[in-house]
């Protein structure tokens, strides 16, 4: 039986080796990859967030936990792929200027790519003008903005405004997400979509381009 508690503990402890071993064992026991991801790895980061807030965990430990989570994600990556369809979207995704969080954004990129979208992951701390330049360079028809800090959420609006000013807005869809982002915030800043997790983000992106 898959024990999400053990996987959570190893992730929180930043023990990449144990995380890898537990993920492999869970897969051998036919645990679905998305269950391992959500009830073990993602759930661990929620606890890390609470501990960070209460100052029970500090940046170096949080980074170790993030690396341990990534070690598990790398094993799950091929199994989370669902290449059943061939969507026609070309997406660029990045974390907005001032924000260095990339774990969730990378999961969204991975899940979107697995639906057949062409995904260009720009990285973190991406200024509005770089998003605009990359939309042109990649001929993108989907832009995904991630923000994890309440202080960087307004940068999503600034990025959308820059896209409008560049005259490119009408030809593409914009999705926003990240822990502090809500549907009502997405509506307020003029995004086309919001999703609370990588799975629903990928579904929404796929639906945008289904013919
Ligand atoms: C890991 C982490 C870090 C790591 C990041 C490492 C990395 N490579 O990403 C490090 C240590 C660097 C870090 C730094 C900081 N952090 Co930090 N961090 C976290 C933590 C614990 C987990 C985030 C995470 O990876 N979650 C797991 C992933 C899977 O979830 P997710 O990111 O939410 O993504 C999912 C969805 O939101 C969605 N999604 C995400 N992006 C997108 C995009 C689109 C388009 C869509 C549709 C969906 C979508 O899908 C994802 C997958 O399901 C959170 C706590 C939390 N619970 O969020 C704090 C947290 C976000 N950090 C916080 C803070 C304060 C900071 C610092 C300011 C700390 C400091 N004093 O220096 C710095 C800021 C650095 C910067 N300029 O960005 C606060 C933010 C508080 C606030 N209200 O703004 C939090 C909430 C912790 C807390 N409770 O206090 N952090």
């Amino acid at each position: 039986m898959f024990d999400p508690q053990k996987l959570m503990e190893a992730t929180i402890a930043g023990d990449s080796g144990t995380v890898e071993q537990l993920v492999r064992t869970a897969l051998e026991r036919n645990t679905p990859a998305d269950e391992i991801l959500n009830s073990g790895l993602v759930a661990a980061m929620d606890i890390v967030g609470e501990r960070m807030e209460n100052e029970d965990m500090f940046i170096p430990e949080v980074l170790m936990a993030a690396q341990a989570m990534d070690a598990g994600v790398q094993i799950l990556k091929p199994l989370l792929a669902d290449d059943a369809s061939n969507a026609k979207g070309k997406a660029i995704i990045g974390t907005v200027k001032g924000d260095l969080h990339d774990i969730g954004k990378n999961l969204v990129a991975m899940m979107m790519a697995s639906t057949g979208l062409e995904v260009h992951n720009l990285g973190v701390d991406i200024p509005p003008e770089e998003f605009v330049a990359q939309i042109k360079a990649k001929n993108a028809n989907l832009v995904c903005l991630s923000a994890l800090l309440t202080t960087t959420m307004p940068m999503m609006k600034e990025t959308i405004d820059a896209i409008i000013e560049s005259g490119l807005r009408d030809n593409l869809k914009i999705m926003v997400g990240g822990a502090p982002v809500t549907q009502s915030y997405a509506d307020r800043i003029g995004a086309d979509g919001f999703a609370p997790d990588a799975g629903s983000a990928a579904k929404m992106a796929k639906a945008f381009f289904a013919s």
Side-chain angles (χ1 to χ4, degrees):
M1 256 273 289
F2 168 56
D3 183 355
Q5 191 63 34
K6 271 196 184 149
L7 182 56
M8 276 168 61
E9 281 165 15
T11 308
I12 294 164
D15 183 350
S16 299
T18 304
V19 166
E20 285 172 352
Q21 190 197 323
L22 290 170
V23 168
R24 288 209 170 89
T25 310
L27 288 172
E28 276 159 22
R29 294 178 185 164
N30 297 322
T31 315
D34 60 344
E35 189 184 330
I36 302 173
L37 177 71
N38 293 320
S39 61
L41 301 171
V42 173
M45 293 316 282
D46 287 339
I47 294 175
V48 169
E50 281 164 29
R51 293 193 184 169
M52 199 176 164
E53 200 166 1
N54 299 330
E55 299 189 0
D56 290 334
M57 261 178 108
F58 297 97
I59 305 289
E61 299 160 279
V62 176
L63 271 176
M64 298 260 302
Q67 280 165 5
M69 172 170 177
D70 193 55
V73 168
Q74 291 311 317
I75 299 172
L76 296 175
K77 208 170 172 174
L79 299 155
L80 292 165
D82 146 34
D83 55 3
S85 96
N86 260 325
K88 297 174 214 75
K90 270 193 194 177
I92 59 171
I93 181 166
T95 306
V96 296
K97 185 176 172 188
D99 200 319
L100 302 175
H101 295 84
D102 70 354
I103 299 170
K105 181 257 306 165
N106 290 344
L107 279 176
V108 173
M110 187 179 95
M111 296 297 280
M112 282 189 179
S114 78
T115 69
L117 255 77
E118 184 181 317
V119 180
H120 299 275
N121 190 340
L122 307 182
V124 297
D125 193 19
I126 307 296
E129 58 276 17
E130 180 63 12
F131 276 105
V132 170
Q134 290 296 327
I135 293 166
K136 291 179 188 156
K138 306 290 184 319
N139 200 14
N141 53 10
L142 174 63
V143 178
C144 300
L145 307 176
S146 183
L148 263 286
L149 300 170
T150 44
T151 49
T152 56
M153 282 167 69
M155 194 48 73
M156 292 179 145
K157 177 162 179 354
E158 286 194 34
T159 305
I160 294 177
D161 289 347
I163 295 170
I164 294 170
E165 274 162 34
S166 71
L168 298 166
R169 178 67 180 99
D170 293 344
N171 305 324
L172 46 81
K173 299 283 188 192
I174 300 178
M175 287 175 69
V176 294
V181 181
T182 58
Q183 181 66 58
S184 72
Y185 186 74
D187 294 341
R188 221 170 336 131
I189 63 173
D192 299 300
F194 157 79
D197 58 66
S200 42
K203 251 187 219 153
M204 182 179 281
K206 191 171 156 183
F208 278 144
F209 302 106
S211 49

